[in-house]
Amino acid sequence: MNNLDKQYQALLQDILDNGIQKGDRTGTGTVSVFGRQIRHKMSEGFPLLTTKKMAWKSVVTELLWFLRGDTNIKFLLDYDCHIWDGDAYKNYCKYTSANSSEWNKWMRDNGDGTLSMFTQEEFINKIKTNEEFAKKWGELGPIYGKQWRKWETDDLDAPRYEHWKKDIDQIQNLIEELKTNPDSRRLMVNAWNVGEIERMVLPPCHYGFQLYTRNLSFDERYAIYSNSSKTWEEGGGNAYGKINGLDMMDEDNVPTRAISLMWNQRSCDLFLGIPFNVASYALLLKIIAREVNMVPDELIGNLGDVHLYSNHLEQAKMQILRKPYKLPKLEITEREWHLHEKVKEHVGEKDFNGKIFSYRPDSFKLIGYESHSGIKAPLSN
């Protein structure tokens, strides 16, 4: 059963029926509603939309980029992921236009004594091939990865009268807390750092997420152990043998808990962004669940300003008419980053030794993904 595509199509229809016209930062114009939610049971399949073909490789690459704590698009470009190209280029154009003294260093020499800004295509190629240029213009400021892995704060343990800073690794802390205190109500990661928003090329759209775990019942664990939907009794067991059954499941390291993830999003580009966000947080849930030996349970998205851009309306109407296919499954392969020299360049020693941070983009394989063709729509930056 594919309830995900149906929920998504209902959201598209909701905006077409009930949305109000609003201006926006990009100048494109939107049709918008406020306060919606998406809920998905992970047992029903991996939530990648089937009513249009999705850019799965880009979903994976961007999430791994976040988990590395990276904020420079060079890593994304190395894996042919272009999600943040427009934001980086817009930042370059804004800066060079306002700082003509920098032109000689960062502009294109036209060969006739004049200088001009690179086109976006030239700009991206320059980041790929010029280390100094990439360091300067590939940087997006303290966005998601920085806040997830290196939230900067005062070191309260510093010697008296000395002002030291330290970084908080929210992801690492989250993993440790899940292992030691899984019933905590503080299993949260936040990207909305008010003190650094002005330094970001774009404030976080999905600004935080929370995890929740629960104990699995005996029958839920047995279903995992036996790889079937039968209960213990249906499988021939009896009440007296349950102790032995528990011992067998414990010896086989069968998970004892289920884990759910809920994310919050202030600005929701329903046609291009939300399908991507759903898949990204589902992937994050799968990665974390595997790390702490729990079963992915429910994915929940709390959506604030949910909108269709004015140049996405016809595309939305087209997608609403499409019949969903069955959702795929996701297979996670072994982690072998150390075999790849290109990846080694991007991974710090701390991350290199960590498990959750050592996946590569091809570590995730979709099984049985069938979809309708893609639907082109312009991205508003």
PDB file of all heavy atoms in Angstrom, residues 128-139:
ATOM      1  N   LYS A 128      34.931  23.312  -9.153  1.00  0.00           N
ATOM      2  CA  LYS A 128      35.386  21.930  -9.340  1.00  0.00           C
ATOM      3  C   LYS A 128      36.895  21.845  -9.542  1.00  0.00           C
ATOM      4  O   LYS A 128      37.528  20.871  -9.137  1.00  0.00           O
ATOM      5  CB  LYS A 128      34.701  21.307 -10.561  1.00  0.00           C
ATOM      6  CG  LYS A 128      33.237  20.975 -10.379  1.00  0.00           C
ATOM      7  CD  LYS A 128      32.705  20.352 -11.682  1.00  0.00           C
ATOM      8  CE  LYS A 128      31.258  19.972 -11.590  1.00  0.00           C
ATOM      9  NZ  LYS A 128      30.763  19.389 -12.867  1.00  0.00           N
ATOM     10  N   THR A 129      37.472  22.873 -10.176  1.00  0.00           N
ATOM     11  CA  THR A 129      38.860  22.759 -10.646  1.00  0.00           C
ATOM     12  C   THR A 129      39.858  23.669  -9.947  1.00  0.00           C
ATOM     13  O   THR A 129      41.064  23.482 -10.104  1.00  0.00           O
ATOM     14  CB  THR A 129      38.920  23.063 -12.154  1.00  0.00           C
ATOM     15  OG1 THR A 129      38.384  24.383 -12.392  1.00  0.00           O
ATOM     16  CG2 THR A 129      38.096  22.047 -12.943  1.00  0.00           C
ATOM     17  N   ASN A 130      39.377  24.653  -9.181  1.00  0.00           N
ATOM     18  CA  ASN A 130      40.280  25.619  -8.561  1.00  0.00           C
ATOM     19  C   ASN A 130      40.078  25.589  -7.054  1.00  0.00           C
ATOM     20  O   ASN A 130      39.043  26.028  -6.539  1.00  0.00           O
ATOM     21  CB  ASN A 130      40.017  27.020  -9.125  1.00  0.00           C
ATOM     22  CG  ASN A 130      41.011  28.061  -8.627  1.00  0.00           C
ATOM     23  OD1 ASN A 130      41.164  28.260  -7.432  1.00  0.00           O
ATOM     24  ND2 ASN A 130      41.666  28.732  -9.563  1.00  0.00           N
ATOM     25  N   GLU A 131      41.067  25.094  -6.325  1.00  0.00           N
ATOM     26  CA  GLU A 131      40.929  24.907  -4.881  1.00  0.00           C
ATOM     27  C   GLU A 131      40.705  26.222  -4.139  1.00  0.00           C
ATOM     28  O   GLU A 131      39.862  26.305  -3.235  1.00  0.00           O
ATOM     29  CB  GLU A 131      42.183  24.211  -4.337  1.00  0.00           C
ATOM     30  CG  GLU A 131      42.094  23.875  -2.860  1.00  0.00           C
ATOM     31  CD  GLU A 131      43.319  23.108  -2.381  1.00  0.00           C
ATOM     32  OE1 GLU A 131      44.074  22.590  -3.233  1.00  0.00           O
ATOM     33  OE2 GLU A 131      43.508  23.031  -1.155  1.00  0.00           O
ATOM     34  N   GLU A 132      41.448  27.256  -4.513  1.00  0.00           N
ATOM     35  CA  GLU A 132      41.303  28.547  -3.833  1.00  0.00           C
ATOM     36  C   GLU A 132      39.916  29.141  -4.090  1.00  0.00           C
ATOM     37  O   GLU A 132      39.271  29.671  -3.180  1.00  0.00           O
ATOM     38  CB  GLU A 132      42.384  29.527  -4.312  1.00  0.00           C
ATOM     39  CG  GLU A 132      42.340  30.866  -3.572  1.00  0.00           C
ATOM     40  CD  GLU A 132      43.353  31.864  -4.130  1.00  0.00           C
ATOM     41  OE1 GLU A 132      43.908  31.615  -5.219  1.00  0.00           O
ATOM     42  OE2 GLU A 132      43.573  32.897  -3.458  1.00  0.00           O
ATOM     43  N   PHE A 133      39.463  29.049  -5.337  1.00  0.00           N
ATOM     44  CA  PHE A 133      38.142  29.562  -5.681  1.00  0.00           C
ATOM     45  C   PHE A 133      37.053  28.788  -4.938  1.00  0.00           C
ATOM     46  O   PHE A 133      36.092  29.372  -4.430  1.00  0.00           O
ATOM     47  CB  PHE A 133      37.932  29.449  -7.201  1.00  0.00           C
ATOM     48  CG  PHE A 133      36.742  30.202  -7.712  1.00  0.00           C
ATOM     49  CD1 PHE A 133      36.850  31.536  -8.080  1.00  0.00           C
ATOM     50  CD2 PHE A 133      35.505  29.582  -7.834  1.00  0.00           C
ATOM     51  CE1 PHE A 133      35.751  32.246  -8.563  1.00  0.00           C
ATOM     52  CE2 PHE A 133      34.393  30.276  -8.308  1.00  0.00           C
ATOM     53  CZ  PHE A 133      34.522  31.617  -8.673  1.00  0.00           C
ATOM     54  N   ALA A 134      37.212  27.452  -4.862  1.00  0.00           N
ATOM     55  CA  ALA A 134      36.227  26.611  -4.170  1.00  0.00           C
ATOM     56  C   ALA A 134      36.152  26.947  -2.688  1.00  0.00           C
ATOM     57  O   ALA A 134      35.060  27.007  -2.102  1.00  0.00           O
ATOM     58  CB  ALA A 134      36.573  25.141  -4.356  1.00  0.00           C
ATOM     59  N   LYS A 135      37.302  27.183  -2.087  1.00  0.00           N
ATOM     60  CA  LYS A 135      37.325  27.503  -0.659  1.00  0.00           C
ATOM     61  C   LYS A 135      36.598  28.806  -0.376  1.00  0.00           C
ATOM     62  O   LYS A 135      35.900  28.930   0.645  1.00  0.00           O
ATOM     63  CB  LYS A 135      38.773  27.588  -0.172  1.00  0.00           C
ATOM     64  CG  LYS A 135      38.913  27.765   1.333  1.00  0.00           C
ATOM     65  CD  LYS A 135      40.368  27.733   1.753  1.00  0.00           C
ATOM     66  CE  LYS A 135      40.494  27.892   3.267  1.00  0.00           C
ATOM     67  NZ  LYS A 135      41.910  27.848   3.714  1.00  0.00           N
ATOM     68  N   LYS A 136      36.736  29.768  -1.290  1.00  0.00           N
ATOM     69  CA  LYS A 136      36.113  31.074  -1.114  1.00  0.00           C
ATOM     70  C   LYS A 136      34.623  31.052  -1.468  1.00  0.00           C
ATOM     71  O   LYS A 136      33.776  31.494  -0.696  1.00  0.00           O
ATOM     72  CB  LYS A 136      36.835  32.107  -1.979  1.00  0.00           C
ATOM     73  CG  LYS A 136      36.172  33.480  -2.053  1.00  0.00           C
ATOM     74  CD  LYS A 136      36.278  34.257  -0.765  1.00  0.00           C
ATOM     75  CE  LYS A 136      35.703  35.653  -0.921  1.00  0.00           C
ATOM     76  NZ  LYS A 136      35.728  36.418   0.343  1.00  0.00           N
ATOM     77  N   TRP A 137      34.287  30.502  -2.655  1.00  0.00           N
ATOM     78  CA  TRP A 137      32.937  30.668  -3.171  1.00  0.00           C
ATOM     79  C   TRP A 137      32.065  29.433  -3.065  1.00  0.00           C
ATOM     80  O   TRP A 137      30.853  29.508  -3.290  1.00  0.00           O
ATOM     81  CB  TRP A 137      33.005  31.137  -4.628  1.00  0.00           C
ATOM     82  CG  TRP A 137      33.626  32.490  -4.716  1.00  0.00           C
ATOM     83  CD1 TRP A 137      34.830  32.817  -5.273  1.00  0.00           C
ATOM     84  CD2 TRP A 137      33.102  33.712  -4.180  1.00  0.00           C
ATOM     85  NE1 TRP A 137      35.091  34.153  -5.125  1.00  0.00           N
ATOM     86  CE2 TRP A 137      34.034  34.732  -4.454  1.00  0.00           C
ATOM     87  CE3 TRP A 137      31.932  34.040  -3.493  1.00  0.00           C
ATOM     88  CZ2 TRP A 137      33.836  36.045  -4.074  1.00  0.00           C
ATOM     89  CZ3 TRP A 137      31.723  35.346  -3.107  1.00  0.00           C
ATOM     90  CH2 TRP A 137      32.665  36.344  -3.399  1.00  0.00           C
ATOM     91  N   GLY A 138      32.664  28.309  -2.707  1.00  0.00           N
ATOM     92  CA  GLY A 138      31.842  27.113  -2.478  1.00  0.00           C
ATOM     93  C   GLY A 138      31.230  27.096  -1.089  1.00  0.00           C
ATOM     94  O   GLY A 138      30.323  26.318  -0.807  1.00  0.00           O
ATOM     95  N   GLU A 139      31.701  27.976  -0.234  1.00  0.00           N
ATOM     96  CA  GLU A 139      31.250  28.022   1.161  1.00  0.00           C
ATOM     97  C   GLU A 139      29.891  28.709   1.276  1.00  0.00           C
ATOM     98  O   GLU A 139      29.673  29.780   0.719  1.00  0.00           O
ATOM     99  CB  GLU A 139      32.287  28.762   2.012  1.00  0.00           C
ATOM    100  CG  GLU A 139      31.945  28.844   3.483  1.00  0.00           C
ATOM    101  CD  GLU A 139      31.728  27.490   4.108  1.00  0.00           C
ATOM    102  OE1 GLU A 139      32.558  26.580   3.896  1.00  0.00           O
ATOM    103  OE2 GLU A 139      30.705  27.345   4.802  1.00  0.00           O
TER     104      GLU A 139
END
